[in-house]
Amino acid sequence: VNTDTRTVRITVSDNDGGSPTSANNDVTVNLVRAPIIDLDGDDSSGATGGGFNGSFTEGDGAVAAADSDSTISDDGTFKSLTVSLTNRPDTTDESLASILGTDSQTVNGELVTIDPYNSTTGELIVTIDDGSAAAETMQSLVESVVYNNTSDTPDTTDRSIAFSATD
């Protein structure tokens, strides 16, 4: 990914029929590459392209949403992680959680806040309290996420869980 600085020239012209006027303004744009999360580094779950295939069985409890060899890369440090359960046919019977718990936690020596799962939005949000975390901490947080469904008759539709990090 090329993140070299770009200069964009914007030309504004007034074509109202009077005297032609125009103005130029150069704007410098610094491109930042978004963090890249691979939920199954060696594709052992059968998923490719950064995905992960897990299997949930009713009554067996929560299952991992990422493999133990997940990776996260970026050109800097991280500020937050959002995990979204994008389809929820069993509505409030479904949830995401971190095996680390909720509220303030210390992960790899860094203070983070793990919000409780929001069943309305389908999101689990983790905020880095000091504003920046190393990749190792974010990887631990990614690997801590689990999916659960407490329905007595869970819908068998495949679920999609999306991970995104900000830097």
Side-chain angles (χ1 to χ4, degrees):
V1 175
N2 183 341
T3 58
D4 293 341
T5 300
R6 307 286 202 283
T7 300
V8 178
R9 176 164 289 229
I10 300 171
T11 302
V12 179
S13 297
D14 179 7
N15 291 323
D16 67 356
S19 304
T21 57
S22 66
N24 293 320
N25 193 13
D26 289 342
V27 177
T28 301
V29 179
N30 293 313
L31 302 177
V32 178
R33 180 179 62 93
I36 298 171
I37 301 172
D38 185 339
L39 299 174
D40 184 5
D42 65 2
D43 298 334
S44 62
S45 71
T48 58
F52 174 71
N53 290 330
S55 180
F56 175 83
T57 302
E58 177 190 356
D60 283 354
V63 295
D67 204 356
S68 60
D69 65 352
S70 69
T71 61
I72 185 165
S73 61
D74 189 49
D75 51 5
T77 56
F78 303 92
K79 295 179 180 170
S80 69
L81 173 69
T82 300
V83 187
S84 304
L85 181 55
T86 59
N87 61 327
R88 304 179 296 281
D90 292 324
T91 63
T92 58
D93 288 332
E94 300 183 80
S95 63
L96 298 172
S98 170
I99 61 172
L100 303 172
T102 58
D103 300 320
S104 291
Q105 305 287 336
T106 301
V107 179
N108 296 336
E110 298 187 77
L111 192 60
V112 303
T113 298
I114 303 171
D115 292 340
Y117 173 72
N118 183 324
S119 61
T120 302
T121 63
E123 291 182 335
L124 176 70
I125 297 175
V126 180
T127 305
I128 309 306
D129 291 344
D130 70 356
S132 65
E136 296 79 22
T137 298
M138 290 302 281
Q139 184 173 341
S140 295
L141 290 164
V142 165
E143 292 173 3
S144 79
V145 176
V146 294
Y147 165 83
N148 199 14
N149 189 327
T150 58
S151 173
D152 289 332
T153 54
D155 187 300
T156 58
T157 302
D158 286 347
R159 302 309 194 269
S160 180
I161 301 172
F163 287 72
S164 64
T166 57
D167 55 357

